[in-house]
Amino acid sequence: MTAETPFSTPFTARTTAAEILDGVDLTGRRMIVTGGASGIGAETVRALAGAGAEITIATRNPAGADDLVAEFAGPGPGVVRAAALDLADLASVDAFVAGWDGPLHALVANAGIMAIPTRQLTPQGWELQLGTNYLGHFALARGLHDNLRAAGSARVVIVSSGAHRREPFDFDDPQFARQPYDPWSAYGRSKTADVLLAVGIAGRWAADGIVANALNPGFINTNLQRHMTEETLRSFGVLDEAGNRIDLPHYKTPAQGAATTVLLAASPLVEGITGRYFTDNQETEVVAGGPEATRGVAAHALDPAAADRLWEYAERALTSR
């Protein structure tokens, strides 16, 4: 699904989301950002709405987006509203889809959870990280397919992670029903599934005018890390012995972390690009994956056969509930 020469842009790892859209007018574009009330999701919303788009923040707690909604309540470009969505509960996804009317120009699958310490299941019996990060977004995109098609030219943007490189998707035991649960393996597999979702959409919906790409936003201090222990954060080098955050040079600000998402959601530079994986506003090279891989996108996450198999597995989950 990737070109022999990775697609490049003039932007860098330090470009902010607002800078990506400098001079771009998104008036009339309707977009959904899951998990858009905080972190890089909020910066994604600010950049897209600031360029004139109409944004719906899909979040478990719509009241938590009140301040962000208020930022765009006055005169000026862009409109922001919030609606309830719990990706871990397919009934909530169904309700959100039923409440959406009209075309959708971009679906930004930004919400996610990371490193849940103990094995937990969604109401449908899926391991919580896989159910939230992947299945909820699969059901949302599938449910909104006709709305995306109605836009004439639409984009699906899926926020993944470099953690996917260590973990191919395990079709034999995806819910950790038989093997010991490991929070980081579960997270990595869910993020591999996210890239495979972009590959699956690219292969199926191109004729409908819908493109899909995945990305790694990089290292950013956000509440995504809320389930990590202080010991783990210290091992990552982001906490000192007193428990204070350390500004590491490779960490981005949330505005920089949102840039690649905004690039894929709205920049004219990537018009027509689909089924790819981006980091730091550039398409990345394909690598073998595994514990030693520290950059690029693992070949197992771009495998069309795996994408097809996972798509069929998810469809069965939706139809069997």
Side-chain angles (χ1 to χ4, degrees):
M1 297 298 296
T2 59
E4 291 184 5
T5 301
F7 185 87
S8 64
T9 78
F11 304 118
T12 72
R14 298 300 174 184
T15 301
T16 67
E19 289 168 342
I20 293 286
L21 297 181
D22 185 28
V24 176
D25 183 4
L26 299 179
T27 302
R29 304 285 185 90
R30 304 176 74 216
M31 304 181 177
I32 294 168
V33 180
T34 68
S38 64
I40 63 172
E43 294 302 326
T44 298
V45 170
R46 286 191 176 95
L48 295 171
E54 175 189 319
I55 307 296
T56 296
I57 299 172
T59 174
R60 285 180 296 176
N61 177 25
D66 284 351
D67 289 346
L68 189 52
V69 170
E71 285 185 33
F72 293 90
V79 175
V80 177
R81 49 180 65 94
L85 173 67
D86 182 353
L87 289 163
D89 185 351
L90 295 183
S92 176
V93 176
D94 289 343
F96 182 92
V97 169
W100 185 268
D101 183 48
L104 175 62
H105 297 86
L107 171 60
V108 179
N110 165 81
I113 54 176
M114 179 174 73
I116 303 300
T118 60
R119 181 177 181 263
Q120 300 179 45
L121 302 180
T122 70
Q124 288 75 37
W126 278 52
E127 185 276 316
L128 187 59
Q129 294 187 81
L130 183 60
T132 301
N133 298 346
Y134 167 72
L135 184 64
H137 281 127
F138 173 86
L140 184 63
R142 189 169 174 265
L144 293 169
H145 169 265
D146 289 348
N147 306 92
L148 291 161
R149 180 174 58 189
S153 177
R155 303 183 185 188
V156 179
V157 181
I158 304 168
V159 179
S160 181
S161 164
H164 85 272
R165 288 185 290 260
R166 298 176 62 94
E167 297 289 341
F169 191 79
D170 186 346
F171 287 97
D172 294 327
D173 188 18
Q175 315 304 339
F176 287 85
R178 296 185 299 275
Q179 62 192 292
Y181 172 79
D182 178 83
W184 288 107
S185 291
Y187 179 66
R189 292 177 193 181
S190 76
K191 289 303 175 177
T192 288
D194 281 342
V195 185
L196 291 171
L197 176 55
V199 175
I201 291 173
R204 284 168 171 77
W205 295 354
D208 297 322
I210 303 167
V211 301
N213 294 285
L215 68 112
N216 172 16
F219 293 96
I220 311 105
N221 280 325
T222 71
N223 64 4
L224 179 65
Q225 301 164 356
R226 63 188 179 276
H227 297 292
M228 296 169 62
T229 65
E230 286 195 9
E231 180 181 358
T232 300
L233 289 170
R234 287 192 183 95
S235 71
F236 281 17
V238 298
L239 280 188
D240 62 21
E241 290 304 314
N244 300 310
R245 288 274 181 174
I246 301 171
D247 291 327
L248 297 173
H250 61 283
Y251 267 60
K252 300 179 182 180
T253 67
Q256 293 167 342
T260 307
T261 302
V262 168
L263 172 82
L264 295 174
S267 173
L269 294 179
V270 294
E271 185 72 33
I273 298 295
T274 192
R276 317 255 185 118
Y277 179 92
F278 282 67
T279 302
D280 296 338
N281 301 304
Q282 315 293 333
E283 185 184 2
T284 60
E285 71 272 27
V286 181
V287 299
E292 303 304 317
T294 59
R295 57 184 301 169
V297 56
H300 62 244
L302 294 178
D303 180 6
D308 287 343
R309 186 178 179 187
L310 182 57
W311 189 285
E312 293 164 3
Y313 178 73
E315 281 192 327
R316 288 196 299 272
L318 298 188
T319 56
S320 64
R321 58 190 166 116

